[in-house]
Amino acid sequence: MPAVSKGDGMRGLAVFISDIRNCKSKEAEIKRINKELANIRSKFKGDKALDGYSKKKYVCKLLFIFLLGHDIDFGHMEAVNLLSSNKYTEKQIGYLFISVLVNSNSDLIRLINNAIKNDLGSRNPTFMNLALHCIANVGSREMAEAFASEIPSILVAGDTMDSVKQSAALCLLRLNRTSADLVPMGEWTARVVHLLNDQHLGVVTAATSLITTLAQKSPDDFKTSISLAVARLSRIVTSASIDLQDYTYYFVAAPWLSVKLLRLLQCYPPPEDAALRSRLTECLETILNKAQEPPKSKKVQHSNAKNAVLFEAISLIIHHDSEPTLLVRACNQLGQFLQHRETNLRYLALESMCTLASSEFSHETVKTHIETVINALKTERDVSVRQRAVDLLYAMCDRSNAKQIVAEMLSYLETADYSIREEIVLKVAILAEKYAVDYTWYVDTILNLIRIAGDYVSEEVWYRVIQIVINREDVQGYAAKTVFEALQAPACHENLVKVGGYILGEFGNLIAGDSRSSPLVQFNLLHSKFHLCSVPTRALLLSAYIKFINLFPEVKATIQDVLRSDSQLRNSDVELQQRAVEYLRLSCIASTDILATVLEEMPPFPERESSILAKLKKKKGPGNLPDIDDARRNVNGSTEHSENTEAPKKSSPSLVADLLPTNRPRPASSSPIMRSAGTMGTTHPFTDLLNLNATPSAGASLLVDVFSESPAPASVDVCEENFLRFVCKNNGVIFENQLLQIGLKSEYRQNLGRIYVFYGNKTSTQFLSFSTSVASCDMLKTQLNVHAKTVDPLIDGGAQVQQMLNIECVSDFTDAPVLNIQFRYGGTLQNIAVKLPVMLNKFFQPTEMTSQDFFQRWKQLGAPEQEVQKIFKAKHPMDTDVTKAKILGFGVALLDGVDPNPANFVGAGVIHSKCTQVGCLLRLEPNTQAQVKMYRLTLRTSKDTVSQRLCDLLSEQF
Amino acid sequence: MIKAILIFNNHGKPRLIRFYQYFAEDMQQQIIRETFHLVSKRDDNVCNFLEGGSLIGGSDYKLIYRHYATLYFVFCVDSSESELGILDLIQVFVETLDKCFENVCELDLIFHMDKVHYILQEVVMGGMVLETNMNEITTQVDVQNRMEKSEGGLSAAPARAVSAVKNMNLPEIPRNINIGDINIKVPSLSPF
């Protein structure tokens, strides 16, 4: 008999599902769903109490609708009610709905917790299991607070059923992951370790998962688990498979448990105890031996399970990295898999070998497989596998095989899948740099890289080649010659133009002796590319031209003509125009000596970590560069990466030092160009007239140091000039400069608010790496929650993008959050900080009241600290309508006929925050009689800080 | 840890979704679409692991999937899980479904979504493997069924209606996921 009797079901549900499936169009489906939602809603809201069966049916329908991708915004309460049913099936569907649909910060958690508490205490194992499942699946902090102390006792109690123990172990694991601070470690830890000896293998498996996670956080507390784990593993590995009955899976003894135990052992170094160590070695050898035995079954499940254990054993061997014989055996085993007919095994073998390559014992053995790996790169049909092959080649690369590997990767790049090209480009660039013996090879490689995959060559890569050429005198002439030749191609990538422009600008003189590359020829060659390039490249070329004027006085006139042409001097792009104007001027008025000083050859760059390496790390995530990082695959969790990230220094300390032996530190202030860039802005009046010095001259800084990282955002002044204009209104422009306009539209309801921020790119150039963040001071963080949706990192010229901010007022506050904006415009990083107009009064709800009520409350709020009064001069003409509009805009209700003096204004409202509501009354008395127009503003609220803040805000408005 | 379990058919229609890490509803749907897009364009004889899902977790995560006739079973996992282990787990889950439903087919998943969830709950809990022993799992499911029976209220009449409805729909979908009996035959998974 099948375990699920298909007949038992809910007819209404089946009919509904069939209806949906018979819908001919999306519209019909939506219509049917809406009809059903309306029906369920009315049923839930109706007066008639629903029986458990109907509730269950409707909740089931909601689940189905949710699966189809529709939002479900009701029914939660009914599901919670089902939890307290004493019928199992109703309880079960209630829990299911909650695990699938309730997120961890729902308001219902408290009610759910009550039901869970009852079920945990019920001593009915099925109910307990349901409750434990729910805790593990939702895993919220509130649940952890409620149950973290209870679950360990369930887990280690002697009379707990096995199935409950299993659930309790995993439940504890989940809580430990989400709120480790709430899970008390204590006397139960020792007893948990002893679960490794449990009779029931399901319990052992769950306990092993739990211990592995705990051991990662506090290894010392769980050291005793090593010997138990080895003993258990040894019993499994050496047992005849029949011993384990149900846990034998396709003739493999307890494969999951073996895998988990091997993972647990990867939390620790090899056991110190010799006997234990040899027992473990014996286990690992047995596992390796079994791989050579003929399979006990032809089924793929058999080999899968067997190999799952084998790969985990190999991981442990690699992790211990101490037994040369095992390492070599592991490597040979993986070598066999490299040629296996099963794609999965080839994939995993390549992946494991990557980590093996970093071991000194096996590095040479890994290298023997180079041909197979290269072959995989060329012939594998699956891009995932090819990707692994690239990783392994990268990992096994050293000085002896670098040329071969780089060549293979370059040729693979021509046909590589688009999704992995950028990564390969970075890897080639790093290897070429790291293992370059002669730098002509390096320059060739990078230029090839740009030729083959120009679009995927990021800035870091071409910055780096320039950095290296500048720092190494011996390669400069060759580099100049090579880029000159490369630029001859009728169509060359813009990145090549950039590199070419930069290098010829610096070192064009080294090849100028040859008549085929005379100064004029060089200039014409570069200039022939000019019109096809984007603005940043053109800017760079203009800088190259002024350098030419210094290098080759004979082409000065030609270049001046170019700079003088309308297309330069009157270019619509501010940056290009400024460069043309300034360079032209510079070339006219400066003496040869000054020119030579200003435009001197670039001094060498200071040593620093390769920016490409940083980029690759960022791309792959920390801990994912097996050869450099010596990273182990993280066991059971993804949090412990930190110790791996600094590793590059450890295993390849000479990476940068090798490359930059010219160890001449370059104080930034000694750079003549930097100085000239500073003076150009101030001494020439025409730049001021054009108001250009507001944006720093991008060109000069690019020339000085193409590698300079972004200036720290902290140094940016916070713009708050428009802040106060938003006190009484919600929409408008909050910030504007030459590049960017920021507009706001906001709406508030009770203690919640939403701001739509519109970023408008005022230039014709794309903004790159656009990002924003909202910062609050520590105090404000507790008072106001601001959640910003992410924003597109690219903004096209003239385009506008929108970002949504969700705001929640927790309690009253004085400060305002700051919106930080960062983006790259024409090579320079722009930082802008704007004070966001989120003020306390935004959370006002107006309150209408009668004159009598008003004065009654006014009197109630009579304590001295509740009242704040301010007398101030009017900044604007007194206009009754304007004043009224401002008070309404402030958020309070304007009460007519309350104040005996009709010239006065009286308002009332309630400030909503998550914690409290604060009632506010205000009175504004204009004094029109006095010579100087004055106002008196009085605020009374139940909280002194609120009165003060509101008074400060409002008094600035009149 | 298993971050999510997604089952969808060859057209990308979700048949079961289970997230063990919180994602907003629209994000969940995006993840399903992205995963379907990644998985469905792959040949059947390439490897069962792939990286590159950008929405769920980034580079530390892998999709491990199997394709049975009309359905894809996809597990999104982090690096703490053994790839082959998860692959076996999918097999265990499907074999269990097959036992419980007797020749499970896509329709069973549609009409008994709740049951499928319950079976899955016996296998995976809070993103961790709970039980891998098929007999143990089916025993638990049996216990549940007996409790359901004893609670009654679901008589044979609705049951007949269900099967009638089911029969109406039969031509649309191949009846069987083709995992056959316990000696699994998986024609679409050639090397397996």
Side-chain angles (χ1 to χ4, degrees):
Chain A
M1 198 196 93
V4 172
S5 29
K6 293 187 186 181
D8 295 351
M10 289 162 275
R11 188 173 52 154
L13 176 66
V15 170
F16 171 59
I17 295 175
S18 302
D19 280 3
I20 296 286
R21 290 166 47 72
N22 289 333
C23 285
K24 293 279 179 285
S25 66
K26 193 81 194 154
E27 288 72 30
E29 184 185 307
I30 291 173
K31 211 174 144 195
R32 179 69 184 87
I33 285 172
N34 284 336
K35 188 180 148 203
E36 192 63 36
L37 284 174
N39 171 37
I40 299 174
R41 207 186 289 262
S42 73
K43 284 279 173 9
F44 282 165
K45 283 206 174 136
D47 309 324
K48 224 171 55 186
L50 291 174
D51 59 15
Y53 170 78
S54 316
K55 270 191 211 155
K56 183 175 136 188
K57 182 176 74 186
Y58 294 131
V59 167
C60 228
K61 281 184 184 174
L62 289 180
L63 274 175
F64 184 78
I65 295 173
F66 178 72
L67 178 70
L68 293 176
H70 299 264
D71 273 3
I72 301 295
D73 53 4
F74 68 100
H76 299 71
M77 205 53 220
E78 283 69 22
V80 173
N81 288 337
L82 284 174
L83 299 186
S84 46
S85 162
N86 48 15
K87 281 200 176 166
Y88 174 69
T89 49
E90 286 165 18
K91 209 184 256 300
Q92 195 184 25
I93 193 93
Y95 273 121
L96 177 61
F97 184 89
I98 282 160
S99 314
V100 172
L101 267 165
V102 173
N103 67 53
S104 51
N105 45 21
S106 158
D107 306 334
L108 293 169
I109 293 282
R110 227 161 289 158
L111 292 171
I112 299 169
N113 277 356
N114 268 338
I116 291 177
K117 203 168 187 58
N118 289 335
D119 284 335
L120 281 185
S122 71
R123 312 203 57 76
N124 172 337
T126 7
F127 287 6
M128 286 172 88
N129 268 338
L130 284 177
L132 289 168
H133 271 118
C134 184
I135 302 174
N137 289 333
V138 178
S140 76
R141 215 177 151 74
E142 269 171 297
M143 284 192 175
E145 278 165 6
F147 303 109
S149 52
E150 196 171 335
I151 293 165
S153 51
I154 296 176
L155 175 60
V156 296
D159 56 347
T160 308
M161 299 253 306
D162 287 336
S163 67
V164 179
K165 269 192 200 165
Q166 272 172 284
S167 307
L170 295 187
C171 188
L172 199 55
L173 191 163
R174 175 63 189 249
L175 292 186
N176 189 278
R177 253 190 211 152
T178 50
S179 342
D181 53 315
L182 294 176
V183 180
M185 302 292 259
E187 73 285 1
W188 57 269
T189 49
R191 297 173 70 181
V192 166
V193 172
H194 278 278
L195 289 176
L196 290 178
N197 277 334
D198 201 282
Q199 293 289 317
H200 191 278
L201 287 197
V203 174
V204 185
T205 310
T208 312
S209 299
L210 173 64
I211 294 168
T212 307
T213 304
L214 295 175
Q216 279 173 325
K217 289 185 177 152
S218 38
D220 288 339
D221 294 346
F222 292 89
K223 261 201 167 132
T224 46
S225 64
I226 305 176
S227 58
L228 292 179
V230 172
R232 192 95 221 192
L233 183 67
S234 158
R235 266 180 282 157
I236 296 169
V237 170
T238 53
S239 76
S241 46
I242 35 167
D243 293 356
L244 295 155
Q245 291 296 350
D246 290 349
Y247 283 86
T248 299
Y249 176 81
Y250 289 92
F251 306 102
V252 183
W256 279 279
L257 180 53
S258 311
V259 166
K260 294 274 177 206
L261 289 169
L262 288 162
R263 285 262 160 157
L264 169 58
L265 291 170
Q266 286 174 57
C267 299
Y268 292 98
E272 284 155 19
D273 178 62
L276 194 60
R277 194 169 169 152
S278 70
R279 196 165 177 198
L280 178 57
T281 309
E282 201 184 318
C283 284
L284 295 171
E285 274 170 352
T286 315
I287 294 171
L288 285 171
N289 290 341
K290 278 191 183 169
Q292 302 301 329
E293 289 169 11
K296 291 190 180 125
S297 155
K298 287 223 167 68
K299 293 251 161 44
V300 68
Q301 281 76 19
H302 171 69
S303 71
N304 255 0
K306 199 163 113 178
N307 291 328
V309 179
L310 178 60
F311 272 109
E312 217 49 63
I314 291 176
S315 288
L316 181 62
I317 293 170
I318 297 170
H319 171 79
H320 284 168
D321 198 10
S322 61
E323 301 269 357
T325 42
L326 282 179
L327 278 163
V328 170
R329 278 192 74 181
C331 190
N332 291 335
Q333 181 63 55
L334 292 178
Q336 280 182 23
F337 282 148
L338 283 184
Q339 319 224 30
H340 203 280
R341 64 190 170 81
E342 265 203 50
T343 320
N344 285 342
L345 293 181
R346 295 198 299 273
Y347 174 95
L348 292 173
L350 288 166
E351 192 180 57
S352 296
M353 229 181 220
C354 247
T355 44
L356 205 51
S358 62
S359 162
E360 53 171 319
F361 298 117
S362 50
H363 184 79
E364 287 305 314
T365 327
V366 170
K367 270 169 62 187
T368 57
H369 297 289
I370 186 168
E371 295 303 331
T372 320
V373 182
I374 288 173
N375 197 36
L377 190 62
K378 286 179 178 159
T379 56
E380 280 291 348
R381 291 177 49 218
D382 186 350
V383 62
S384 313
V385 185
R386 290 199 300 268
Q387 167 89 55
R388 291 282 141 258
V390 170
D391 286 350
L392 179 54
L393 282 179
Y394 179 70
M396 66 163 66
C397 189
D398 62 16
R399 224 170 267 283
S400 70
N401 56 19
K403 282 199 176 173
Q404 184 189 8
I405 285 178
V406 166
E408 291 296 345
M409 282 174 137
L410 269 178
S411 74
Y412 172 60
L413 195 53
E414 307 213 25
T415 54
D417 201 79
Y418 293 110
S419 57
I420 59 173
R421 280 195 184 187
E422 190 183 354
E423 198 185 312
I424 298 178
V425 166
L426 290 174
K427 286 186 163 156
V428 169
I430 290 171
L431 292 179
E433 179 183 332
K434 191 170 165 184
Y435 298 114
V437 187
D438 91 69
Y439 280 85
T440 56
W441 173 71
Y442 171 73
V443 170
D444 285 343
T445 304
I446 300 294
L447 290 182
N448 255 331
L449 207 53
I450 294 174
R451 184 180 56 77
I452 294 168
D455 285 341
Y456 298 89
V457 173
S458 56
E459 283 181 340
E460 287 85 352
V461 172
W462 71 263
Y463 284 178
R464 189 72 186 161
V465 68
I466 288 171
Q467 191 177 27
I468 284 170
V469 168
I470 285 176
N471 285 8
R472 299 198 60 102
E473 263 174 54
D474 53 337
V475 77
Q476 288 163 355
Y478 180 79
K481 183 165 154 280
T482 319
V483 291
F484 178 77
E485 280 162 8
L487 282 171
Q488 307 281 344
C492 50
H493 195 273
E494 196 167 324
N495 279 336
L496 183 66
V497 179
K498 289 179 185 164
V499 175
Y502 202 107
I503 288 183
L504 291 181
E506 293 292 331
F507 309 113
N509 55 330
L510 299 177
I511 55 168
D514 192 326
S515 61
R516 285 166 298 177
S517 53
S518 70
L520 194 61
V521 175
Q522 283 185 42
F523 172 73
N524 285 337
L525 180 60
L526 279 181
H527 200 56
S528 68
K529 314 285 180 194
F530 186 91
H531 301 281
L532 301 168
C533 292
S534 66
V535 170
T537 310
R538 289 196 208 179
L540 188 147
L541 285 178
L542 287 179
S543 297
Y545 296 171
I546 187 74
K547 288 236 161 189
F548 268 27
I549 292 184
N550 175 45
L551 289 179
F552 316 117
E554 63 266 42
V555 294
K556 182 172 174 178
T558 321
I559 292 176
Q560 279 177 333
D561 283 345
V562 168
L563 292 176
R564 206 175 282 124
S565 71
D566 276 359
S567 63
Q568 307 297 352
L569 276 190
R570 301 195 175 169
N571 196 295
S572 61
D573 186 272
V574 169
E575 179 65 38
L576 291 182
Q577 193 185 63
Q578 185 187 10
R579 285 196 190 203
V581 170
E582 288 179 356
Y583 291 159
L584 181 59
R585 212 50 207 137
L586 181 69
S587 69
C588 295
I589 59 169
S591 70
T592 332
D593 284 352
I594 292 177
L595 260 189
T597 317
V598 170
L599 301 169
E600 199 185 28
E601 191 179 297
M602 288 296 296
F605 288 91
E607 274 183 43
R608 62 177 65 162
E609 186 192 24
S610 161
S611 47
I612 312 176
L613 205 54
K615 167 122 182 175
L616 184 63
K617 267 194 246 165
K618 201 168 135 200
K619 199 172 158 54
K620 291 288 276 183
N624 255 327
L625 287 176
D627 69 329
I628 311 181
D629 276 15
D630 192 28
R632 304 282 169 230
R633 274 197 302 170
N634 192 11
V635 187
N636 274 345
S638 52
T639 46
E640 275 80 33
H641 283 310
S642 50
E643 79 265 19
N644 293 330
T645 48
E646 289 147 15
K649 289 269 180 311
K650 195 174 66 190
S651 50
S652 55
S654 57
L655 173 59
V656 181
D658 273 359
L659 294 167
L660 310 170
T662 42
N663 192 0
R664 276 180 284 159
R666 177 180 60 101
S669 58
S670 77
S671 159
I673 296 176
M674 183 86 101
R675 252 185 284 132
S676 72
T679 47
M680 257 195 273
T682 47
T683 52
H684 296 291
F686 53 87
T687 52
D688 275 333
L689 285 177
L690 296 169
N691 193 21
L692 290 178
N693 50 358
T695 47
S697 172
S701 59
L702 189 74
L703 272 175
V704 170
D705 185 356
V706 286
F707 309 103
S708 66
E709 281 305 306
S710 50
S715 63
V716 182
D717 288 334
V718 177
C719 163
E720 47 185 295
E721 60 178 324
N722 289 332
F723 182 78
L724 286 172
R725 286 190 206 161
F726 279 78
V727 171
C728 294
K729 65 172 188 174
N730 284 333
N731 305 330
V733 173
I734 183 79
F735 176 86
E736 184 154 13
N737 68 9
Q738 294 168 339
L739 306 177
L740 180 73
Q741 185 192 56
I742 304 176
L744 298 181
K745 274 190 181 169
S746 25
E747 54 193 31
Y748 293 87
R749 182 178 297 165
Q750 303 211 324
N751 70 322
L752 300 177
R754 180 168 286 178
I755 302 185
Y756 294 93
V757 189
F758 298 88
Y759 303 97
N761 180 346
K762 291 169 67 181
T763 71
S764 53
T765 316
Q766 206 177 36
F767 291 168
L768 302 170
S769 322
F770 189 90
S771 70
T772 68
S773 62
V774 178
S776 305
C777 67
D778 289 341
M779 166 104 142
L780 187 61
K781 272 181 197 152
T782 62
Q783 297 165 334
L784 193 73
N785 292 329
V786 183
H787 177 78
K789 296 257 156 122
T790 50
V791 63
D792 197 6
L794 296 180
I795 305 183
D796 287 330
Q800 191 182 55
V801 300
Q802 178 189 331
Q803 183 183 27
M804 189 169 80
L805 308 177
N806 284 321
I807 296 158
E808 182 189 33
C809 174
V810 180
S811 65
D812 70 279
F813 60 95
T814 312
D815 219 340
V818 173
L819 177 67
N820 291 308
I821 299 135
Q822 237 188 24
F823 58 92
R824 207 169 267 284
Y825 166 71
T828 36
L829 199 71
Q830 306 281 337
N831 276 301
I832 294 167
V834 180
K835 199 162 167 185
L836 270 180
V838 181
M839 308 91 165
L840 187 56
N841 66 296
K842 298 293 178 195
F843 301 96
F844 253 130
Q845 290 279 302
T847 318
E848 295 289 345
M849 55 178 78
T850 64
S851 170
Q852 199 188 353
D853 283 347
F854 184 86
F855 283 110
Q856 194 188 348
R857 291 186 198 194
W858 185 262
K859 284 196 193 100
Q860 280 166 1
L861 295 171
E865 69 274 11
Q866 290 174 332
E867 180 184 284
V868 174
Q869 193 170 70
K870 198 167 176 179
I871 298 169
F872 53 91
K873 280 185 202 164
K875 285 186 223 131
H876 307 285
M878 282 183 177
D879 178 321
T880 313
D881 289 335
V882 174
T883 309
K884 276 185 179 170
K886 280 183 179 167
I887 292 177
L888 286 171
F890 194 61
V892 294
L894 196 60
L895 305 177
D896 276 334
V898 170
D899 200 298
N901 180 352
N904 292 349
F905 304 91
V906 168
V910 177
I911 299 271
H912 287 258
S913 71
K914 197 179 169 194
C915 307
T916 51
Q917 300 192 348
V918 181
C920 306
L921 304 174
L922 72 84
R923 186 180 196 199
L924 181 72
E925 300 158 277
N927 182 351
T928 46
Q929 309 304 314
Q931 238 172 12
V932 186
K933 307 274 188 256
M934 298 288 281
Y935 284 104
R936 180 165 72 185
L937 174 64
T938 315
L939 268 137
R940 286 193 179 183
T941 77
S942 51
K943 205 170 172 192
D944 52 346
T945 50
V946 175
S947 305
Q948 188 60 53
R949 179 59 181 156
L950 291 176
C951 184
D952 291 346
L953 284 170
L954 190 59
S955 61
E956 293 295 322
Q957 300 299 316
F958 301 104
Chain B
M1 180 184 171
I2 300 167
K3 299 281 160 176
I5 293 172
L6 312 173
I7 304 176
F8 41 72
N9 70 7
N10 290 348
H11 306 288
K13 271 246 180 245
R15 291 305 178 210
L16 178 128
I17 48 175
R18 199 74 165 83
F19 284 85
Y20 295 102
Q21 180 185 346
Y22 173 71
F23 289 99
E25 285 86 356
D26 49 343
M27 194 62 190
Q28 293 189 5
Q29 292 296 326
Q30 269 186 50
I31 291 173
I32 295 169
R33 277 196 296 276
E34 188 198 60
T35 311
F36 171 69
H37 181 73
L38 285 170
V39 166
S40 62
K41 66 177 182 201
R42 290 169 63 85
D43 291 342
D44 266 345
N45 53 358
V46 299
C47 77
N48 298 52
F49 323 119
L50 93 152
E51 286 144 79
S54 58
L55 298 172
I56 198 165
S59 62
D60 189 36
Y61 297 91
K62 277 202 179 113
L63 301 175
I64 297 176
Y65 72 100
R66 296 197 107 146
H67 187 198
Y68 297 95
T70 67
L71 291 175
Y72 286 95
F73 287 70
V74 187
F75 282 42
C76 312
V77 303
D78 68 12
S79 60
S80 70
E81 299 290 342
S82 149
E83 289 92 344
L84 290 174
I86 293 292
L87 212 50
D88 282 339
L89 191 70
I90 299 177
Q91 182 69 21
V92 167
F93 178 46
V94 175
E95 283 185 31
T96 312
L97 287 177
D98 195 55
K99 261 192 188 171
C100 295
F101 285 104
E102 265 187 330
N103 284 345
V104 66
C105 66
E106 189 178 341
L107 281 174
D108 291 316
L109 269 62
I110 299 170
F111 283 95
H112 300 282
M113 189 186 57
D114 48 340
K115 294 268 161 59
V116 179
H117 267 293
Y118 301 147
I119 294 169
L120 180 62
Q121 272 183 7
E122 297 301 326
V123 182
V124 177
M125 167 173 167
M128 297 299 298
V129 180
L130 176 66
E131 183 57 76
T132 53
N133 176 348
M134 226 177 304
N135 293 335
E136 193 84 16
I137 300 167
T138 43
T139 313
Q140 291 291 339
V141 176
D142 276 338
V143 170
Q144 288 176 17
N145 283 318
R146 274 203 300 280
M147 288 172 82
E148 183 177 336
K149 281 256 166 54
S150 69
E151 280 168 8
L154 309 172
S155 62
R160 273 198 299 279
V162 174
S163 35
V165 170
K166 254 177 92 169
N167 288 333
M168 284 171 7
N169 281 293
L170 280 182
E172 288 176 36
I173 285 182
R175 201 166 187 175
N176 201 315
I177 308 189
N178 276 336
I179 64 163
D181 53 18
I182 287 307
N183 300 317
I184 304 260
K185 294 188 285 282
V186 191
S188 61
L189 210 69
S190 52
F192 289 85

